[in-house]
Amino acid sequence: IAQQFANVSLIATTSILKVFWKEIAEAQERHDEARVRRLYRVVSRGLFFAGAWLSCLLIPYTQEILRWTLGGGYEGAWLCVALLLLYPVHQSMGQIGGTYLYATGETGPYTRLGLATMGVSLPTAYLLLASPSARIPGAGLGAIGLAIKMVVLQAVSVNLQAYVIARKQGWPYQVGYQIIGLGALLSLGVLCKW
């Protein structure tokens, strides 16, 4: 269910990626650093807010969505679905960052970040999913643990990617808009439901 709603916000990202790649590559070729920075900033922040707006609007209504779509027996999965509704917020930023790194020929950092993320993902999944009574004990969180891992690991890896891009270009790395924007939009979503 969460993936179906996430696909709506990814439609905007997919439609922008090819144009973004072309514009970034062209501006980079012309050594127009101001345009490169402006394009990256506007597109990544715009898609972040579009994804966050949709997700934060739906999160307060997760139980109702589950009841209407799957029936009352699935309402208990609301926390897992609510967490997974946050996944597309950073997914679009990851796609924009990856496209930026490809368009500027910086595939090395992109590859290293991807490998590091995969290296952290498997042990993290085990620790969150494994039973507390296992030989190597885990948290036994089940589906909620997997949702937490997906959302948190993606947010961290995307922000590492944004940090690498900012440092390579000499730009200031900014994360405050994500925290403030997500908090404000989630508060507005809750206020709308109330």
Side-chain angles (χ1 to χ4, degrees), residues 12-112:
T13 303
T14 305
S15 64
I16 289 173
L17 281 179
K18 287 183 183 179
V19 175
F20 177 72
W21 185 320
K22 177 197 156 303
E23 292 295 323
I24 288 290
E26 183 180 316
Q28 185 79 13
E29 184 70 27
R30 292 182 180 174
H31 302 288
D32 188 351
E33 296 302 318
R35 180 164 171 73
V36 169
R37 181 179 180 182
R38 187 174 62 252
L39 281 168
Y40 177 76
R41 182 180 171 143
V42 167
V43 171
S44 63
R45 287 184 181 199
L47 289 174
F48 172 83
F49 281 109
W53 175 80
L54 180 62
S55 294
C56 291
L57 178 67
L58 294 174
I59 286 172
Y61 296 97
T62 306
Q63 286 181 305
E64 289 84 354
I65 291 169
L66 287 171
R67 190 176 334 109
W68 296 331
T69 57
L70 299 174
Y74 289 91
E75 281 185 64
W78 73 270
L79 181 56
C80 185
V81 174
L83 288 168
L84 288 173
L85 282 170
L86 291 172
Y87 192 71
V89 173
H90 286 93
Q91 188 173 20
S92 60
M93 286 181 64
Q95 290 180 352
I96 292 299
T99 300
Y100 175 88
L101 290 169
Y102 274 124
T104 58
E106 295 287 340
T107 56
Y110 180 75
T111 303
R112 286 189 292 277

